[in-house]
Amino acid sequence: MSVTTTDILISGGGVAGLTAAAAFGAAGFRVICVDPEPPVTDETAATADLRTTAFLQPSLPVLQAAGLWDRLAPHAAALQIMRIVDAGGPQPEARIVKDFNAADISDRPFGWNLPNWLLRREMVARLAELPNVDFRPGTGTARVFTRAAEARVTLTDGTTVSTKLLIGADGRNSPVREALGIPVTTRRYGQKALAFAVTHPLPHQNVSTEVHRSGGPFTLVPLPDRNGGPASAVVWMETGPEVARLAALPVPEFEAAMTARSCGILGPLTLASRRSVWPIINQVAARMSGERTALIAEAAHVVPPIGAQGLNMSLADLRVLLDLACAHRDDPGTAAMLDLYHRRRHPEVELRARGIDLLNRSSMLSAPLLRDLRAGALDMLYSVSPVRRTLMRAGLGLR
């Protein structure tokens, strides 16, 4: 039986896996990237991922080095202000509004927002430019066998690949993680999220807004103009039954509901895409490495979509892993290198996951007294300038 050899095998062709393939390819490694599902790169497709990703400042060098940012920048909407709105009073109306402005800590925006389907389109195009990257959509990981010198992976098409470093970027139910027997700790909230795009009469002015009432945040994230008018991406987190009810509403009733939930801060919202539903969990793997294997992104950690943390944690994984691999270019994937990767990333991942868990539970509060306490805490933290700046830097992952 013939065996294909490579430096890096990436299991998973989502946004994180494609970014990793471009980054390792641009760094000169031989890369094979596989995913059982071909990437959906058209917004109108029934299975298109309608969520968006906000790349925060520390992620920009990763995208630039991978040769991705020049492709993505023309489609990105800048995020200059993160606005927190507490609407926890008797009526769904803004009672406390606090703006966290990137200008307080930097001369650049907090980040840049892009639709996930478009990210896949541009990333696949970038991989086609790299002769040392072999992207195999429609092929997944079937079996994994590791030993000190290599990981030997059998793919779903029967091909066997020998690789110095296997990267599991294959999602929250990662076949690679399961093959290595790495357990996870999972927190469930009984929540789901609706993701969709809207247009609105008032310009967003590059402000990303989280409206907190109960059930979870209602988040509006700027998008480039759509059909000549202002547009935003929305993630609306609620209990599972409530999301099911909202997803089934006729469009006029849904538009009325989402406008009310947004407190009308951008005027009447008009649905501009289909509605997709995503489960919300908080999950962290016990280890981020194994023999000849590294876990990144949702294979290693899943967090609720609060503060644009998810993919930026993933790109922090990639940044550390790529730096270590380049420092061990002759043999990436040694036990010492992968143990160092785990030690550098896992404590920060656990800390950030716990912080996001706390924020999510706070956003779900329904009792009026507890909502009042949440509003008071927001007011207090914002009012102290050094604390406010520290929170903004921590949210970006800056030291």
mmCIF file of all heavy atoms in Angstrom, residues 287-336:
data_model
loop_
_atom_site.group_PDB
_atom_site.id
_atom_site.type_symbol
_atom_site.label_atom_id
_atom_site.label_comp_id
_atom_site.label_asym_id
_atom_site.label_seq_id
_atom_site.Cartn_x
_atom_site.Cartn_y
_atom_site.Cartn_z
ATOM 1 N N ARG A 287 -6.331 18.306 27.149
ATOM 2 C CA ARG A 287 -5.008 18.609 26.616
ATOM 3 C C ARG A 287 -5.163 19.139 25.205
ATOM 4 O O ARG A 287 -6.122 18.810 24.513
ATOM 5 C CB ARG A 287 -4.110 17.366 26.579
ATOM 6 C CG ARG A 287 -3.549 16.942 27.933
ATOM 7 C CD ARG A 287 -2.389 15.951 27.752
ATOM 8 N NE ARG A 287 -1.287 16.515 26.987
ATOM 9 C CZ ARG A 287 -0.329 17.288 27.511
ATOM 10 N NH1 ARG A 287 -0.351 17.598 28.784
ATOM 11 N NH2 ARG A 287 0.652 17.739 26.745
ATOM 12 N N MET A 288 -4.206 19.953 24.800
ATOM 13 C CA MET A 288 -4.221 20.481 23.441
ATOM 14 C C MET A 288 -3.168 19.823 22.567
ATOM 15 O O MET A 288 -2.939 20.255 21.426
ATOM 16 C CB MET A 288 -4.037 22.001 23.468
ATOM 17 C CG MET A 288 -5.237 22.704 24.096
ATOM 18 S SD MET A 288 -5.116 24.507 24.167
ATOM 19 C CE MET A 288 -5.046 24.941 22.434
ATOM 20 N N SER A 289 -2.553 18.771 23.078
ATOM 21 C CA SER A 289 -1.580 18.037 22.267
ATOM 22 C C SER A 289 -1.561 16.576 22.672
ATOM 23 O O SER A 289 -1.969 16.208 23.776
ATOM 24 C CB SER A 289 -0.175 18.643 22.418
ATOM 25 O OG SER A 289 0.295 18.464 23.741
ATOM 26 N N GLY A 290 -1.095 15.767 21.745
ATOM 27 C CA GLY A 290 -0.863 14.352 21.972
ATOM 28 C C GLY A 290 0.320 13.939 21.120
ATOM 29 O O GLY A 290 0.997 14.792 20.526
ATOM 30 N N GLU A 291 0.584 12.664 21.040
ATOM 31 C CA GLU A 291 1.720 12.204 20.253
ATOM 32 C C GLU A 291 1.573 12.645 18.801
ATOM 33 O O GLU A 291 0.590 12.323 18.134
ATOM 34 C CB GLU A 291 1.834 10.678 20.332
ATOM 35 C CG GLU A 291 3.128 10.136 19.750
ATOM 36 C CD GLU A 291 3.283 8.637 20.000
ATOM 37 O OE1 GLU A 291 2.330 7.892 19.663
ATOM 38 O OE2 GLU A 291 4.320 8.220 20.537
ATOM 39 N N ARG A 292 2.543 13.446 18.334
ATOM 40 C CA ARG A 292 2.591 13.953 16.963
ATOM 41 C C ARG A 292 1.335 14.736 16.559
ATOM 42 O O ARG A 292 1.068 14.926 15.362
ATOM 43 C CB ARG A 292 2.799 12.797 15.970
ATOM 44 C CG ARG A 292 4.207 12.238 15.979
ATOM 45 C CD ARG A 292 5.186 13.172 15.294
ATOM 46 N NE ARG A 292 6.589 12.857 15.572
ATOM 47 C CZ ARG A 292 7.615 13.559 15.111
ATOM 48 N NH1 ARG A 292 7.408 14.619 14.374
ATOM 49 N NH2 ARG A 292 8.838 13.230 15.421
ATOM 50 N N THR A 293 0.599 15.236 17.527
ATOM 51 C CA THR A 293 -0.703 15.852 17.240
ATOM 52 C C THR A 293 -0.905 17.114 18.064
ATOM 53 O O THR A 293 -0.563 17.157 19.250
ATOM 54 C CB THR A 293 -1.849 14.868 17.555
ATOM 55 O OG1 THR A 293 -1.623 13.638 16.856
ATOM 56 C CG2 THR A 293 -3.188 15.439 17.136
ATOM 57 N N ALA A 294 -1.470 18.138 17.421
ATOM 58 C CA ALA A 294 -1.889 19.358 18.115
ATOM 59 C C ALA A 294 -3.359 19.610 17.817
ATOM 60 O O ALA A 294 -3.827 19.392 16.691
ATOM 61 C CB ALA A 294 -1.060 20.553 17.658
ATOM 62 N N LEU A 295 -4.091 20.056 18.829
ATOM 63 C CA LEU A 295 -5.483 20.457 18.649
ATOM 64 C C LEU A 295 -5.555 21.970 18.617
ATOM 65 O O LEU A 295 -4.937 22.657 19.432
ATOM 66 C CB LEU A 295 -6.356 19.937 19.796
ATOM 67 C CG LEU A 295 -6.378 18.428 20.026
ATOM 68 C CD1 LEU A 295 -7.295 18.094 21.202
ATOM 69 C CD2 LEU A 295 -6.828 17.680 18.773
ATOM 70 N N ILE A 296 -6.327 22.500 17.678
ATOM 71 C CA ILE A 296 -6.562 23.934 17.622
ATOM 72 C C ILE A 296 -8.062 24.177 17.448
ATOM 73 O O ILE A 296 -8.832 23.274 17.119
ATOM 74 C CB ILE A 296 -5.783 24.634 16.483
ATOM 75 C CG1 ILE A 296 -6.326 24.222 15.108
ATOM 76 C CG2 ILE A 296 -4.293 24.341 16.570
ATOM 77 C CD1 ILE A 296 -5.780 25.070 13.953
ATOM 78 N N ALA A 297 -8.455 25.411 17.656
ATOM 79 C CA ALA A 297 -9.817 25.862 17.378
ATOM 80 C C ALA A 297 -10.848 25.018 18.136
ATOM 81 O O ALA A 297 -10.606 24.646 19.282
ATOM 82 C CB ALA A 297 -10.060 25.868 15.873
ATOM 83 N N GLU A 298 -11.994 24.718 17.513
ATOM 84 C CA GLU A 298 -13.071 24.058 18.250
ATOM 85 C C GLU A 298 -12.748 22.614 18.613
ATOM 86 O O GLU A 298 -13.441 22.029 19.446
ATOM 87 C CB GLU A 298 -14.379 24.141 17.466
ATOM 88 C CG GLU A 298 -14.955 25.543 17.445
ATOM 89 C CD GLU A 298 -16.437 25.576 17.123
ATOM 90 O OE1 GLU A 298 -16.973 24.566 16.617
ATOM 91 O OE2 GLU A 298 -17.069 26.620 17.385
ATOM 92 N N ALA A 299 -11.728 22.038 18.042
ATOM 93 C CA ALA A 299 -11.281 20.722 18.520
ATOM 94 C C ALA A 299 -10.711 20.837 19.927
ATOM 95 O O ALA A 299 -10.721 19.878 20.700
ATOM 96 C CB ALA A 299 -10.236 20.139 17.580
ATOM 97 N N ALA A 300 -10.233 22.038 20.281
ATOM 98 C CA ALA A 300 -9.617 22.272 21.590
ATOM 99 C C ALA A 300 -10.506 23.069 22.524
ATOM 100 O O ALA A 300 -10.466 22.882 23.744
ATOM 101 C CB ALA A 300 -8.286 23.005 21.421
ATOM 102 N N HIS A 301 -11.322 23.975 21.968
ATOM 103 C CA HIS A 301 -12.141 24.837 22.817
ATOM 104 C C HIS A 301 -13.312 25.399 22.025
ATOM 105 O O HIS A 301 -13.180 25.781 20.862
ATOM 106 C CB HIS A 301 -11.308 25.990 23.389
ATOM 107 C CG HIS A 301 -10.398 26.643 22.391
ATOM 108 N ND1 HIS A 301 -10.841 27.508 21.416
ATOM 109 C CD2 HIS A 301 -9.053 26.532 22.197
ATOM 110 C CE1 HIS A 301 -9.821 27.908 20.671
ATOM 111 N NE2 HIS A 301 -8.717 27.328 21.128
ATOM 112 N N VAL A 302 -14.465 25.443 22.667
ATOM 113 C CA VAL A 302 -15.670 26.048 22.103
ATOM 114 C C VAL A 302 -16.217 26.998 23.153
ATOM 115 O O VAL A 302 -16.365 26.610 24.316
ATOM 116 C CB VAL A 302 -16.742 24.989 21.759
ATOM 117 C CG1 VAL A 302 -17.938 25.645 21.086
ATOM 118 C CG2 VAL A 302 -16.170 23.877 20.901
ATOM 119 N N VAL A 303 -16.516 28.232 22.761
ATOM 120 C CA VAL A 303 -17.070 29.194 23.710
ATOM 121 C C VAL A 303 -18.282 29.872 23.079
ATOM 122 O O VAL A 303 -18.403 29.939 21.852
ATOM 123 C CB VAL A 303 -16.032 30.256 24.128
ATOM 124 C CG1 VAL A 303 -14.888 29.620 24.904
ATOM 125 C CG2 VAL A 303 -15.518 31.036 22.923
ATOM 126 N N PRO A 304 -19.204 30.383 23.904
ATOM 127 C CA PRO A 304 -20.325 31.148 23.357
ATOM 128 C C PRO A 304 -19.832 32.362 22.581
ATOM 129 O O PRO A 304 -18.757 32.909 22.881
ATOM 130 C CB PRO A 304 -21.108 31.567 24.613
ATOM 131 C CG PRO A 304 -20.767 30.538 25.640
ATOM 132 C CD PRO A 304 -19.328 30.200 25.363
ATOM 133 N N PRO A 305 -20.599 32.810 21.582
ATOM 134 C CA PRO A 305 -20.153 33.920 20.730
ATOM 135 C C PRO A 305 -20.329 35.265 21.421
ATOM 136 O O PRO A 305 -21.221 36.056 21.111
ATOM 137 C CB PRO A 305 -21.059 33.795 19.502
ATOM 138 C CG PRO A 305 -22.309 33.165 20.026
ATOM 139 C CD PRO A 305 -21.866 32.220 21.108
ATOM 140 N N ILE A 306 -19.442 35.543 22.368
ATOM 141 C CA ILE A 306 -19.458 36.796 23.115
ATOM 142 C C ILE A 306 -18.077 37.450 22.975
ATOM 143 O O ILE A 306 -17.058 36.797 23.164
ATOM 144 C CB ILE A 306 -19.778 36.556 24.600
ATOM 145 C CG1 ILE A 306 -21.220 36.042 24.748
ATOM 146 C CG2 ILE A 306 -19.581 37.817 25.428
ATOM 147 C CD1 ILE A 306 -21.600 35.691 26.166
ATOM 148 N N GLY A 307 -18.063 38.726 22.605
ATOM 149 C CA GLY A 307 -16.804 39.456 22.542
ATOM 150 C C GLY A 307 -15.863 39.007 21.443
ATOM 151 O O GLY A 307 -14.652 39.256 21.524
ATOM 152 N N ALA A 308 -16.379 38.333 20.409
ATOM 153 C CA ALA A 308 -15.547 37.928 19.259
ATOM 154 C C ALA A 308 -14.347 37.088 19.671
ATOM 155 O O ALA A 308 -13.271 37.188 19.093
ATOM 156 C CB ALA A 308 -15.085 39.167 18.477
ATOM 157 N N GLN A 309 -14.556 36.211 20.659
ATOM 158 C CA GLN A 309 -13.421 35.472 21.197
ATOM 159 C C GLN A 309 -13.105 34.173 20.448
ATOM 160 O O GLN A 309 -11.952 33.757 20.377
ATOM 161 C CB GLN A 309 -13.675 35.146 22.678
ATOM 162 C CG GLN A 309 -13.711 36.367 23.560
ATOM 163 C CD GLN A 309 -12.406 37.137 23.543
ATOM 164 O OE1 GLN A 309 -11.349 36.593 23.822
ATOM 165 N NE2 GLN A 309 -12.462 38.413 23.207
ATOM 166 N N GLY A 310 -14.113 33.500 19.912
ATOM 167 C CA GLY A 310 -13.931 32.137 19.416
ATOM 168 C C GLY A 310 -12.798 31.956 18.434
ATOM 169 O O GLY A 310 -11.801 31.288 18.718
ATOM 170 N N LEU A 311 -12.919 32.535 17.236
ATOM 171 C CA LEU A 311 -11.886 32.302 16.225
ATOM 172 C C LEU A 311 -10.583 32.987 16.589
ATOM 173 O O LEU A 311 -9.505 32.528 16.209
ATOM 174 C CB LEU A 311 -12.352 32.756 14.844
ATOM 175 C CG LEU A 311 -11.384 32.314 13.733
ATOM 176 C CD1 LEU A 311 -11.478 30.810 13.505
ATOM 177 C CD2 LEU A 311 -11.621 33.057 12.441
ATOM 178 N N ASN A 312 -10.646 34.071 17.345
ATOM 179 C CA ASN A 312 -9.409 34.738 17.729
ATOM 180 C C ASN A 312 -8.607 33.897 18.725
ATOM 181 O O ASN A 312 -7.382 33.914 18.708
ATOM 182 C CB ASN A 312 -9.722 36.128 18.265
ATOM 183 C CG ASN A 312 -10.215 37.036 17.150
ATOM 184 O OD1 ASN A 312 -9.436 37.578 16.377
ATOM 185 N ND2 ASN A 312 -11.531 37.165 17.028
ATOM 186 N N MET A 313 -9.290 33.131 19.580
ATOM 187 C CA MET A 313 -8.586 32.137 20.383
ATOM 188 C C MET A 313 -7.951 31.093 19.473
ATOM 189 O O MET A 313 -6.819 30.642 19.705
ATOM 190 C CB MET A 313 -9.550 31.476 21.367
ATOM 191 C CG MET A 313 -10.033 32.391 22.479
ATOM 192 S SD MET A 313 -11.397 31.676 23.446
ATOM 193 C CE MET A 313 -10.590 30.242 24.190
ATOM 194 N N SER A 314 -8.660 30.711 18.413
ATOM 195 C CA SER A 314 -8.144 29.719 17.475
ATOM 196 C C SER A 314 -6.894 30.216 16.761
ATOM 197 O O SER A 314 -5.921 29.475 16.585
ATOM 198 C CB SER A 314 -9.222 29.359 16.444
ATOM 199 O OG SER A 314 -10.408 28.925 17.072
ATOM 200 N N LEU A 315 -6.910 31.486 16.357
ATOM 201 C CA LEU A 315 -5.737 32.027 15.672
ATOM 202 C C LEU A 315 -4.579 32.243 16.633
ATOM 203 O O LEU A 315 -3.413 32.213 16.223
ATOM 204 C CB LEU A 315 -6.103 33.316 14.955
ATOM 205 C CG LEU A 315 -7.096 33.161 13.798
ATOM 206 C CD1 LEU A 315 -7.215 34.454 12.997
ATOM 207 C CD2 LEU A 315 -6.737 32.013 12.872
ATOM 208 N N ALA A 316 -4.885 32.444 17.919
ATOM 209 C CA ALA A 316 -3.802 32.470 18.909
ATOM 210 C C ALA A 316 -3.164 31.089 19.022
ATOM 211 O O ALA A 316 -1.933 30.972 19.146
ATOM 212 C CB ALA A 316 -4.337 32.924 20.264
ATOM 213 N N ASP A 317 -3.988 30.025 18.965
ATOM 214 C CA ASP A 317 -3.434 28.660 18.913
ATOM 215 C C ASP A 317 -2.494 28.525 17.723
ATOM 216 O O ASP A 317 -1.362 28.036 17.850
ATOM 217 C CB ASP A 317 -4.553 27.618 18.736
ATOM 218 C CG ASP A 317 -5.587 27.607 19.837
ATOM 219 O OD1 ASP A 317 -5.304 28.095 20.936
ATOM 220 O OD2 ASP A 317 -6.692 27.077 19.576
ATOM 221 N N LEU A 318 -2.983 28.948 16.568
ATOM 222 C CA LEU A 318 -2.216 28.805 15.335
ATOM 223 C C LEU A 318 -0.915 29.591 15.401
ATOM 224 O O LEU A 318 0.139 29.095 14.978
ATOM 225 C CB LEU A 318 -3.068 29.266 14.147
ATOM 226 C CG LEU A 318 -2.368 29.324 12.790
ATOM 227 C CD1 LEU A 318 -1.780 27.972 12.405
ATOM 228 C CD2 LEU A 318 -3.347 29.823 11.715
ATOM 229 N N ARG A 319 -0.968 30.799 15.946
ATOM 230 C CA ARG A 319 0.234 31.639 16.023
ATOM 231 C C ARG A 319 1.327 30.958 16.843
ATOM 232 O O ARG A 319 2.500 30.900 16.428
ATOM 233 C CB ARG A 319 -0.138 32.992 16.636
ATOM 234 C CG ARG A 319 0.985 34.001 16.673
ATOM 235 C CD ARG A 319 0.462 35.390 17.006
ATOM 236 N NE ARG A 319 -0.180 35.447 18.318
ATOM 237 C CZ ARG A 319 -1.473 35.667 18.523
ATOM 238 N NH1 ARG A 319 -2.296 35.827 17.491
ATOM 239 N NH2 ARG A 319 -1.963 35.732 19.742
ATOM 240 N N VAL A 320 0.944 30.418 17.999
ATOM 241 C CA VAL A 320 1.926 29.736 18.851
ATOM 242 C C VAL A 320 2.444 28.476 18.172
ATOM 243 O O VAL A 320 3.659 28.209 18.149
ATOM 244 C CB VAL A 320 1.308 29.413 20.224
ATOM 245 C CG1 VAL A 320 2.246 28.522 21.043
ATOM 246 C CG2 VAL A 320 0.999 30.696 20.992
ATOM 247 N N LEU A 321 1.535 27.685 17.607
ATOM 248 C CA LEU A 321 1.935 26.424 16.982
ATOM 249 C C LEU A 321 2.841 26.658 15.786
ATOM 250 O O LEU A 321 3.851 25.952 15.605
ATOM 251 C CB LEU A 321 0.684 25.648 16.562
ATOM 252 C CG LEU A 321 0.910 24.240 16.019
ATOM 253 C CD1 LEU A 321 1.551 23.335 17.065
ATOM 254 C CD2 LEU A 321 -0.409 23.628 15.531
ATOM 255 N N LEU A 322 2.530 27.653 14.969
ATOM 256 C CA LEU A 322 3.350 27.938 13.798
ATOM 257 C C LEU A 322 4.735 28.421 14.205
ATOM 258 O O LEU A 322 5.746 28.007 13.619
ATOM 259 C CB LEU A 322 2.654 28.977 12.920
ATOM 260 C CG LEU A 322 3.382 29.378 11.634
ATOM 261 C CD1 LEU A 322 3.602 28.178 10.724
ATOM 262 C CD2 LEU A 322 2.610 30.466 10.905
ATOM 263 N N ASP A 323 4.806 29.283 15.213
ATOM 264 C CA ASP A 323 6.113 29.757 15.683
ATOM 265 C C ASP A 323 6.981 28.590 16.159
ATOM 266 O O ASP A 323 8.177 28.519 15.854
ATOM 267 C CB ASP A 323 5.935 30.764 16.818
ATOM 268 C CG ASP A 323 5.445 32.120 16.328
ATOM 269 O OD1 ASP A 323 5.448 32.349 15.103
ATOM 270 O OD2 ASP A 323 5.039 32.945 17.175
ATOM 271 N N LEU A 324 6.370 27.673 16.899
ATOM 272 C CA LEU A 324 7.127 26.524 17.402
ATOM 273 C C LEU A 324 7.548 25.604 16.264
ATOM 274 O O LEU A 324 8.678 25.092 16.249
ATOM 275 C CB LEU A 324 6.280 25.752 18.418
ATOM 276 C CG LEU A 324 6.053 26.450 19.763
ATOM 277 C CD1 LEU A 324 5.019 25.682 20.590
ATOM 278 C CD2 LEU A 324 7.359 26.576 20.535
ATOM 279 N N ALA A 325 6.669 25.392 15.296
ATOM 280 C CA ALA A 325 7.002 24.522 14.170
ATOM 281 C C ALA A 325 8.142 25.120 13.348
ATOM 282 O O ALA A 325 9.043 24.405 12.886
ATOM 283 C CB ALA A 325 5.768 24.299 13.296
ATOM 284 N N CYS A 326 8.123 26.431 13.156
ATOM 285 C CA CYS A 326 9.207 27.080 12.402
ATOM 286 C C CYS A 326 10.530 26.987 13.152
ATOM 287 O O CYS A 326 11.601 26.888 12.535
ATOM 288 C CB CYS A 326 8.852 28.537 12.127
ATOM 289 S SG CYS A 326 7.542 28.755 10.887
ATOM 290 N N ALA A 327 10.461 27.006 14.476
ATOM 291 C CA ALA A 327 11.683 26.857 15.279
ATOM 292 C C ALA A 327 12.190 25.421 15.289
ATOM 293 O O ALA A 327 13.349 25.176 15.648
ATOM 294 C CB ALA A 327 11.421 27.325 16.705
ATOM 295 N N HIS A 328 11.344 24.466 14.911
ATOM 296 C CA HIS A 328 11.720 23.044 14.833
ATOM 297 C C HIS A 328 11.437 22.534 13.418
ATOM 298 O O HIS A 328 10.843 21.467 13.229
ATOM 299 C CB HIS A 328 10.928 22.222 15.862
ATOM 300 C CG HIS A 328 11.173 22.619 17.285
ATOM 301 N ND1 HIS A 328 10.591 23.721 17.862
ATOM 302 C CD2 HIS A 328 11.950 22.053 18.243
ATOM 303 C CE1 HIS A 328 10.984 23.826 19.124
ATOM 304 N NE2 HIS A 328 11.819 22.835 19.380
ATOM 305 N N ARG A 329 11.869 23.316 12.425
ATOM 306 C CA ARG A 329 11.481 23.054 11.040
ATOM 307 C C ARG A 329 11.909 21.668 10.560
ATOM 308 O O ARG A 329 11.203 21.031 9.772
ATOM 309 C CB ARG A 329 12.075 24.133 10.135
ATOM 310 C CG ARG A 329 11.621 24.043 8.693
ATOM 311 C CD ARG A 329 12.093 25.248 7.898
ATOM 312 N NE ARG A 329 11.419 26.473 8.300
ATOM 313 C CZ ARG A 329 10.259 26.864 7.785
ATOM 314 N NH1 ARG A 329 9.644 26.119 6.879
ATOM 315 N NH2 ARG A 329 9.721 28.003 8.173
ATOM 316 N N ASP A 330 13.039 21.172 11.014
ATOM 317 C CA ASP A 330 13.493 19.857 10.554
ATOM 318 C C ASP A 330 12.571 18.743 11.007
ATOM 319 O O ASP A 330 12.438 17.721 10.327
ATOM 320 C CB ASP A 330 14.916 19.587 11.058
ATOM 321 C CG ASP A 330 15.956 20.468 10.396
ATOM 322 O OD1 ASP A 330 15.635 21.031 9.326
ATOM 323 O OD2 ASP A 330 17.051 20.616 10.951
ATOM 324 N N ASP A 331 11.926 18.937 12.154
ATOM 325 C CA ASP A 331 11.035 17.889 12.667
ATOM 326 C C ASP A 331 9.931 18.507 13.521
ATOM 327 O O ASP A 331 9.924 18.401 14.743
ATOM 328 C CB ASP A 331 11.823 16.861 13.488
ATOM 329 C CG ASP A 331 10.967 15.648 13.855
ATOM 330 O OD1 ASP A 331 9.847 15.519 13.305
ATOM 331 O OD2 ASP A 331 11.406 14.845 14.687
ATOM 332 N N PRO A 332 8.972 19.176 12.899
ATOM 333 C CA PRO A 332 7.853 19.710 13.678
ATOM 334 C C PRO A 332 7.032 18.554 14.233
ATOM 335 O O PRO A 332 6.861 17.525 13.580
ATOM 336 C CB PRO A 332 7.057 20.507 12.635
ATOM 337 C CG PRO A 332 7.373 19.856 11.326
ATOM 338 C CD PRO A 332 8.810 19.406 11.445
ATOM 339 N N GLY A 333 6.552 18.698 15.428
ATOM 340 C CA GLY A 333 5.723 17.642 16.005
ATOM 341 C C GLY A 333 6.447 16.762 16.993
ATOM 342 O O GLY A 333 5.916 15.701 17.371
ATOM 343 N N THR A 334 7.635 17.159 17.456
ATOM 344 C CA THR A 334 8.300 16.356 18.486
ATOM 345 C C THR A 334 7.525 16.482 19.801
ATOM 346 O O THR A 334 6.756 17.419 20.014
ATOM 347 C CB THR A 334 9.739 16.838 18.720
ATOM 348 O OG1 THR A 334 9.702 18.181 19.228
ATOM 349 C CG2 THR A 334 10.543 16.787 17.437
ATOM 350 N N ALA A 335 7.762 15.523 20.688
ATOM 351 C CA ALA A 335 7.060 15.527 21.972
ATOM 352 C C ALA A 335 7.348 16.795 22.752
ATOM 353 O O ALA A 335 6.445 17.396 23.358
ATOM 354 C CB ALA A 335 7.453 14.290 22.781
ATOM 355 N N ALA A 336 8.602 17.233 22.749
ATOM 356 C CA ALA A 336 8.965 18.428 23.504
ATOM 357 C C ALA A 336 8.277 19.662 22.938
ATOM 358 O O ALA A 336 7.779 20.520 23.691
ATOM 359 C CB ALA A 336 10.480 18.613 23.489
#
